[in-house]
Amino acid sequence: MESGDNAKCSADVGEGAYYMAGVVAINAIMATVLLLSGLFHSLLRRLGQPSIISHILAGVVVGPTFLGRVIDLRAMGMEDAGTALGDTIYYLRIIFMFFIGLEMDLRYLRHNLRRSLLLACGGSAISLLLAAVAGPFFYGLLHPVGQGESFHPAKLYASTVLFMLVLASTASPVLIRIVTELKLTASETGQLAIGAAFATDIACLTTISMMVVNPTTFAKDGTPKPPRVPGASTPGVQLLVFLWMALVVWVAVAVAVRAARLLNRVKRGRRYISKYELCAMLLLIVGLSLLVQYLRYSASMAAFLIGLAMPRDGPMARTLIDRLTYPVHQIVMPLCFGAIGARLDFADAGRFTATQLTAAIVFTTVLSAAGKVGGTVLVGRWLGITAREALVLGFLLNVKGYSDILAINFGDKSGVWGDTAQVVLLVSSILNTFMAGPASAAIVRQQRRAFQYRSHCLQDLRVDHELRVLVCVHGAGGVNAMLTVAELSKGSGAPVAVYLLHLVELMAARKYAITHLYKDVGARLKLNDDDQWGYAWEMDQVAAAVHSFATYEAAVPVRQMTAISNLASMDGDVRNGVEDARASLVIVPYHKEQRYDGRMVSRRDGRRQLNQRILQRAPCTVGVLVERHLPSISVASSTAPAEADRHDEEQKSTASGTSLAEEQADQEAAVVHHVVAVFLGGPDDREAVAYATRLSTHPSVSVSVSRFRLNKPDDNEMQTAVDVTGDEQDQEDEEFMAEVYAGFVAPGRVSYTETYVSNGVETLNALSGMAGMCSLFVVGRGGGGSGGAAWTTMTSGMGGLDDEECPELGPVGELLASDDFLGCSSSVLVLQQHKLHQKMRTWKKHSHDGCMPDHDILHY
C-alpha cells in the first residue's frame, strides 16, 4: 500500500515538473523574442525600417531555423516554438486585432477622399492584374504535379485569389510609422499615403473576413475537404451561411459599441474610465469574439471589426488608446509577429535549391513592387502629383505586414499553400517593407536637396523686399507674441510672408495614434474640452489663437504648419520648415516663461537644448524671443479708429489747420511699441540693427538705436580708440552704421544715441538705465569672438547675474532676460546672423588679392 502511494506521488511530481518545464520554456521563448526584437530594431531603425521587420526576424531566430536546431521542444510536449508561442498568446492576438481596428479611424478618409481612393484603386488594380496573370505560374512553381499531389482547379483558383490579395495589400499601421519617421505627417504627400493605405487595408481585411465565413480547405494531396456545413457548396446555402455570419458579427459589434457609448455617457465630464471598467470592456470584447468563433467565424476578424466600429470620442476611446498603445506595440505586437516568424523553417525548402528559392522570392518581390509603384505613379501623374511625390507614394503603399500576413496564414491553414510558399511570400513581404523606408527616405532627401535655397540675412535684405519669417510655438500661449513680432516686421507696406510652425512633442503613448489628429476641425470644436484628447486639443487651441489674432482687418496672413516629433529630433522639423518656407528669419521661443509674479521659469525640460541645436544648425538667421507680455498690434488697430474720430471732432471745433506739434503728438499717440536696438559690434549686432530698421517703417513702432563704443571721446584716449577699432570687424561696423545713419537716422525715422564705456560693468549700468523705457529690446547674440576686441572688452565682467548661464542669448541678452535685472519688464529678441553668410563674407574678402574688400552693405 505504501509503495503504491509513493508511485502515485512520484507520478504527480513528474507531471508537475513536466508542466513547469513547459511554462519556463515558453516564458524563455517570449523573453527571447522581446529581447531580440528590441536589439534588431535598435539596429534596423537607422536604416528606416519599421519595427515589424525586427519582430519577424526575432521569431525566425527562435524558430526551427536557428535555436530550434539546438533545443528540442518536443521533449516538453511542444511541436515547435511558433506553435507554442501562437497558442500562448491566442487571447492577446484578439486584443491586438481589436486595437488595429481601433487605430483605423474611418473619418480620416474624409480628407482628400477622392484622391486617396483613386491612388488606392490605381496601385491595387495594377497589382491585382499582375497577380491574376502570374498567379497560375506562382502556383505551378511551388506546387509541381507528381510530388504526391494531384492538380485541382479549385486549389489553383484559391491560390490565385490569395496571391492577388497579398500583392494588393498595404499595411497602414506600418506606413503610419514610416511616414512619421520621415516627418511627412503634416504634408499632403503623407496624408494622401495614409488615406490610401487606410482604404486599401480596410478593403483587404474586409475581403479576408468574408473569405473565412465558409472557407474551402484542402488535404495534403490537393483534394478539397468536405465543407463544415453540410450542403454548403450550393450557392443558396452559401448565401444563407454568409447572411447568418454577418448577422452574428453585427450583433457582436452592436453590443460592444452600445457598451462603449453607455460608459461614455456614465463617465461624461471625466477624462478616463477606471481600470476596472477598462478590464471589463476588454473581457467583453474577448468574450464576444470567442462567441463569434464558436458560431463558426474568426475571433480575430470579429475583434478587428469591433475595433473598427468603436466610437472615437469620449473617455472610452481616450482610455483605450492611451492605456493600450504602449503594451500592444511593445509587447503584444512583437509576440504576434514573432510567432509568425517562428513557424518558418528556411532550411526545409522541399525539393527547391537555394537558387530556385531565391528566384521565387525575387520574382514575387519585383511583381509586388512593380504593381504598387507603377499603378500609383500612373494615377498620381493623372491627378497632377509630381513624379517624385508619386514615386514616394508608390513605395510607401507597397509596405506589407498585416492583411498580407493574415492572408498567408489563412492560405496555410486551409491547405492552399505549403511551407515553401509561405516562406516565399513572407520573405517577399519583408523585402517589400524593407525597401519602402530607405527608398522613400532617399527620394525625400533628394527632393529637399533639389529645393535647397541660400538664405539672405537681414543685413543684406532691402527693406522694401519681401521678408519670409517662420515663427515657432510650443502652445497657444506663445502665439500672440510671436505673431505680433511677425506683424511688426511688415513695416508700412513691405511684403512679409509669415509661417507659424506648431511644435508638438511626440509622446510614446500617442505616436501610433497619430491618425486621430485629422478629424474635422468643425466636429472637434463642437465637443467639450473633456471629449478632446491627444494632440487634437493642443492643435485646436493653437488654431483658435491664430484665428483670434487675425480677426482685425490689417492682420498679415498666417500659414500654419504642425510638426510632431520628439524633442531630440525637433530641430530637424524646424530646418525642414525653414526650407519649405524659404525663410530668412526663424524665431523660436525662449525655454523659460514668465510666471504670475514676473519671474522666468522653465516649464519643460529639453527645450533649451532644442534652441541650442537650432542656433547651431538652422540655415538662416535665428531669433530667440524672451516674451514678457508683449502688447498685441491688434490693440493699436482697434484704438486707432476711435482716436481718429476724436481728432476729427477736435479739428471741426477748432480753427482750420493743425500745428506741427499737434501732428507729432498724434503720431506719438498712435505708437504702441517702443523698440530699442543695442549695438556693440559684430555680425549679430548688425543683424539686430538691420531688423530694427525694418520695424521702424511700421506706423505703430518707434525705434531707437543705442550704440555702445569703447572709451570716452577725449583727446588723451582717442589714439587708443583708433587702435582698437582699426581691425577689419570694426571697419565693417563703421560702414554699416554709416549706412544706417544716412538711411534712417538723418531722415528722422530712427533715433540714435551713443554711449562710451570702458568695461562690462559700465555697459551693465548703461543698460540698467534703459529698463522700462521700451516694450522690446532687439540685441545680437555675439560670442565666439565674432564681435571683435571692442565687443569683448565692453561685455567682460557683466555676466553672473544668474546661477544658470544662457550662452544661447549672449551676454547682453542674458542680462536683459535675467530676473536679477531689476525694473526690466520688456521683451527681448536675440538675433544670430546666419553662420554660412558670415563664412561667405570671409571667403569673399580673402578672394580679393590686395583689392578693396567687397563688403555686403545694407541697401535702402
Side-chain angles (χ1 to χ4, degrees), residues 288-369:
L288 290 173
S289 302
L290 293 177
L291 178 62
V292 171
Q293 184 184 29
Y294 178 77
L295 297 174
R296 304 297 183 89
Y297 190 70
S298 171
S300 298
M301 295 310 303
F304 168 77
L305 295 175
I306 291 174
L308 196 64
M310 195 61 69
R312 298 309 197 270
D313 302 321
M316 170 57 70
R318 188 182 306 123
T319 305
L320 288 171
I321 291 293
D322 288 352
R323 298 292 188 267
L324 295 182
T325 295
Y326 183 83
V328 166
H329 285 276
Q330 301 299 325
I331 299 176
V332 179
M333 189 171 75
L335 295 178
C336 289
F337 288 100
I340 295 172
R343 294 193 185 101
L344 300 179
D345 188 0
F346 290 90
D348 185 13
R351 70 176 186 89
F352 288 92
T353 64
T355 303
Q356 292 172 330
L357 192 64
T358 302
I361 293 174
V362 171
F363 168 76
T364 308
T365 304
V366 172
L367 198 67
S368 176

Side-chain angles (χ1 to χ4, degrees), residues 145-156:
V145 180
Q147 299 291 329
E149 179 179 343
S150 58
F151 174 75
H152 292 277
K155 189 173 182 180
L156 173 62

Side-chain angles (χ1 to χ4, degrees), residues 817-837:
S818 171
D819 292 328
D820 297 328
F821 191 57
L822 301 178
C824 184
S825 59
S826 307
S827 299
V828 183
L829 179 61
V830 182
L831 293 178
Q832 173 188 276
Q833 192 180 71
H834 187 200
K835 296 300 182 183
L836 179 61
H837 170 78

